[in-house]
Amino acid sequence: MTPQQLLYSTTHEWVRLETDPAGAKIATVGISAFALELLTDLVYVDLPEVGRQVTAGEPFGEIESVKAVSDLYSPVDGEITEVNTELADRLDTLGDDPYEAGWFVKIKISDESGLAGLLDHAAYQKQCEQETPNDQ
Amino acid sequence: MVDFAGWSMPQQYTSIIQEHVTSRTAVGMADISHMGRLRFEGPGAAVFLAELLTRRVGDLDLGQVRYSLVTNPQGGILDDVLVGFYHNEHGQPFYVLVVNAANRRKILGWVQAHLPPERAEAPGEEVICTDLTRLWAMFAIQGPRSVELLQPLIDVDLHLMKYYNGAQVRILHPAAQRQGGIITRTGYTGEDGFELSVGASVALGIWEAIMEIGRPLGIVPTGIGARDTLRLEAGMPLYGHELSEGINPFQAGLGYVCYLVGYDFPGRDALKVLERQPLDKTRIGLELAGRRVARQGCDILAEGHKIGRITSGSHSPTLNRPIAMGYVPPEFAQPGTELQIDVRGRFEPARVVKLPFYRRSRKGNHK
């Protein structure tokens, strides 16, 4: 899947929607190249345990750069089913492949109504343009 | 870009870690034109400065630079400064006081209040203070290759310039348009390096000339992000973090820059009293066991009880772990003491370590 086919939250998480063999909707979540570019110099990521319940708009972890720490917000309601445990050791190359190898967690969605609040690629691009610091 | 005391400054050019590492292994250059620079001249200048600074001024050798503090009447730290003594091209003496950007107006206010015309113009004891901050740019060129980089541009032998010494020099490049500058072997990184002040009108050309000459040496421009991680590793205090009016020099570990038997600077009598009192808190360095970074304002705990507060913290690129400075009562300041830091609600184990966190290997002939 290309970045154009993903959904995005206003807090810069991307979401890839798939249906597992049992018919459940699974959201794979990461953070966008735009957000990684702004963060730079990542030093730490804190991800939840498998099984944890998450709520759309609420923090599920944190990501820390030399400059500052930022919360990671869940884009959907559901339960954590998988965590990318390799991420912590490859933070310095996260920016090389943020949309495939750079996934953070998989969430089994419990309530699909929240998906309506996510942005498509075009709308997200527009938001990023507005947030781009004017000196860069 | 970020706002820093009213100056718009780059947080980083590319990556804080890369700029940091390059400053340790090759050479980096930062634009530090935000630093306040005040020139004092006239036969009364040395005495006037001695009545402002916590340290002696009159005994400075030509070219010598000295770290000093400015304190308030209660002995709290108003600023930390560098004072240097130079001769201009006509052989006339002057002092340059380098102050923190955020404190420039405070210091200028003090100078104006204590320099009425009858003092400034007293025959034979005149003092002229000029705020050069907006007229001069300032670059910090820091790293083991800084001598090699700058020598072709400077008309004095930089190999022979001692640490905390400087000179008024000619700049041997057409971009300088025959203007001179002041170069000092000083810095805020714990690395060998120089700070160079040049006229603002020629500063861009000189910056570009240094970047051009430095390219084969691996130079990178460095922002204030790397400036902060470099000074933190070097255990150097930063005004607004380790230093403030609520902190006295003895708590900050800077009692050695207070000369209490000389001129009556503001706070001298208060410091004489404080010097004899036991410390209620002292500045320490901490290394964290985990990866989460403790930042300014985090509480420091001993067995669950709050004992102090973090004043600066970041990831250390050299040690590849979080480091921090803060204040705790002296009984917890012994290196090896195990403490905890409340990082957003989670207690992170940390150990008191001796400052600085990083010390360069000294192979040069300076100091």
Side-chain angles (χ1 to χ4, degrees):
Chain A
M1 239 182 226
T2 65
Q4 286 73 24
Q5 296 167 293
L6 302 172
L7 295 173
Y8 297 86
S9 67
T10 54
T11 48
H12 303 287
E13 289 81 13
W14 58 257
V15 183
R16 186 170 66 224
L17 290 175
E18 282 151 325
T19 307
D20 75 2
K25 272 240 158 136
I26 304 291
T28 304
V29 177
I31 61 174
S32 74
F34 177 82
L36 288 172
E37 178 89 1
L38 285 188
L39 288 168
T40 68
D41 296 305
L42 298 177
V43 294
Y44 171 75
V45 63
D46 186 42
L47 296 176
E49 301 278 306
V50 168
R52 193 171 125 189
Q53 300 294 321
V54 294
T55 308
E58 298 289 323
F60 71 84
E62 59 184 26
I63 189 157
E64 183 138 30
S65 72
V66 175
K67 275 184 287 193
V69 64
S70 310
D71 280 319
L72 299 166
Y73 294 96
S74 179
V76 296
D77 291 336
E79 180 187 325
I80 302 286
T81 56
E82 252 184 275
V83 175
N84 187 351
T85 50
E86 286 168 26
L87 208 57
D89 295 326
R90 50 176 302 276
L91 284 177
D92 49 340
T93 56
L94 186 56
D96 297 343
D97 187 12
Y99 300 109
E100 293 291 341
W103 66 278
F104 283 40
V105 293
K106 294 186 190 231
I107 303 168
K108 188 166 138 192
I109 298 173
S110 59
D111 179 1
E112 289 184 36
S113 63
L115 296 176
L118 297 175
L119 308 174
D120 66 16
H121 185 257
Y124 177 66
Q125 282 291 97
K126 208 165 186 181
Q127 183 195 320
C128 292
E129 278 161 30
Q130 283 163 0
E131 286 184 20
T132 301
N134 55 20
D135 53 73
Q136 288 187 352
Chain B
M1 300 290 281
V2 292
D3 175 80
F4 189 85
W7 298 80
S8 178
M9 298 183 66
Q11 174 86 252
Q12 79 262 330
Y13 288 86
T14 51
S15 138
I16 294 173
I17 292 176
Q18 188 218 331
E19 292 166 20
H20 178 114
V21 170
T22 308
S23 299
R24 292 255 180 267
T25 56
V27 60
M29 178 159 65
D31 179 355
I32 54 166
S33 304
H34 64 297
M35 297 298 291
R37 277 144 298 148
L38 313 179
R39 182 174 62 201
F40 293 84
E41 50 206 317
V47 168
F48 184 75
L49 283 172
E51 290 174 358
L52 168 63
L53 305 177
T54 60
R55 237 172 150 185
R56 285 183 291 177
V57 174
D59 64 331
L60 283 172
D61 292 329
L62 185 62
Q64 196 180 349
V65 178
R66 192 170 273 171
Y67 179 72
S68 180
L69 298 173
V70 178
T71 48
N72 66 21
Q74 294 74 43
I77 300 174
L78 271 176
D79 202 5
D80 64 334
V81 303
L82 289 182
V83 58
F85 181 51
Y86 312 99
H87 278 182
N88 69 15
E89 59 272 39
H90 309 298
Q92 289 161 329
F94 64 98
Y95 296 90
V96 175
L97 195 65
V98 183
V99 306
N100 281 293
N103 295 333
R104 177 168 63 109
R105 296 202 182 281
K106 204 160 66 175
I107 302 294
L108 273 173
W110 189 95
V111 169
Q112 275 152 14
H114 289 78
L115 205 51
E118 54 269 31
R119 174 160 192 184
E121 296 170 9
E125 293 172 31
E126 292 88 345
V127 184
I128 300 171
C129 171
T130 315
D131 181 0
L132 301 170
T133 307
R134 300 187 65 86
L135 306 182
W136 286 8
M138 192 178 195
F139 304 144
I141 298 105
Q142 301 279 305
R145 304 196 79 170
S146 52
V147 174
E148 188 183 350
L149 165 63
L150 290 177
Q151 189 60 79
L153 287 167
I154 305 292
D155 73 336
V156 302
D157 189 341
L158 294 178
H159 296 89
L160 299 178
M161 185 176 278
K162 289 183 189 153
Y163 194 49
Y164 270 74
N165 269 257
Q168 164 106 29
V169 295
R170 289 171 56 200
I171 296 171
L172 310 173
H173 194 280
Q177 297 174 26
R178 296 168 184 253
Q179 289 191 29
I182 291 180
I183 188 166
T184 57
R185 198 162 197 164
T186 51
Y188 199 45
T189 60
E191 218 51 67
D192 190 14
F194 297 87
E195 291 173 309
L196 175 67
S197 278
V198 295
S201 62
V202 296
L204 184 58
I206 294 172
W207 171 280
E208 286 170 348
I210 295 172
M211 290 303 293
E212 186 67 35
I213 297 169
R215 191 164 299 147
L217 306 179
I219 193 171
V220 295
T222 58
I224 57 164
R227 185 168 167 80
D228 192 48
T229 53
L230 287 161
R231 71 93 196 168
L232 181 60
E233 284 187 353
M236 293 173 165
L238 172 60
Y239 201 86
H241 291 255
E242 287 70 41
L243 309 181
S244 68
E245 292 197 53
I247 294 287
N248 71 53
F250 305 107
Q251 294 167 328
L254 299 174
Y256 72 97
V257 301
C258 296
Y259 185 72
L260 302 180
V261 296
Y263 285 89
D264 188 10
F265 59 83
R268 187 195 64 172
D269 294 338
L271 290 175
K272 279 184 178 174
V273 174
L274 288 167
E275 188 184 28
R276 289 187 169 76
Q277 290 176 354
L279 282 178
D280 59 337
K281 58 181 176 180
T282 187
R283 180 161 63 97
I284 56 162
L286 290 159
E287 275 185 17
L288 283 79
R291 301 293 301 173
R292 298 173 81 230
V293 177
R295 298 181 192 270
Q296 183 174 31
C298 290
D299 286 338
I300 305 172
L301 304 100
E303 292 167 6
H305 298 285
K306 189 191 158 187
I307 56 161
R309 193 165 273 185
I310 296 295
T311 49
S312 292
S314 189
H315 171 81
S316 161
T318 304
L319 304 174
N320 191 28
R321 63 165 60 187
I323 57 173
M325 287 196 281
Y327 284 90
V328 296
E331 58 267 35
F332 300 105
Q334 200 58 33
T337 307
E338 301 285 347
L339 300 172
Q340 303 87 46
I341 305 172
D342 181 348
V343 181
R344 294 180 304 284
R346 260 158 52 191
F347 292 178
E348 301 290 340
R351 175 179 295 149
V352 179
V353 296
K354 206 167 171 296
L355 291 172
F357 300 98
Y358 165 86
R359 198 186 289 273
R360 74 174 185 272
S361 55
R362 290 172 190 272
K363 280 175 267 167
N365 57 2
H366 54 283
K367 202 171 186 182

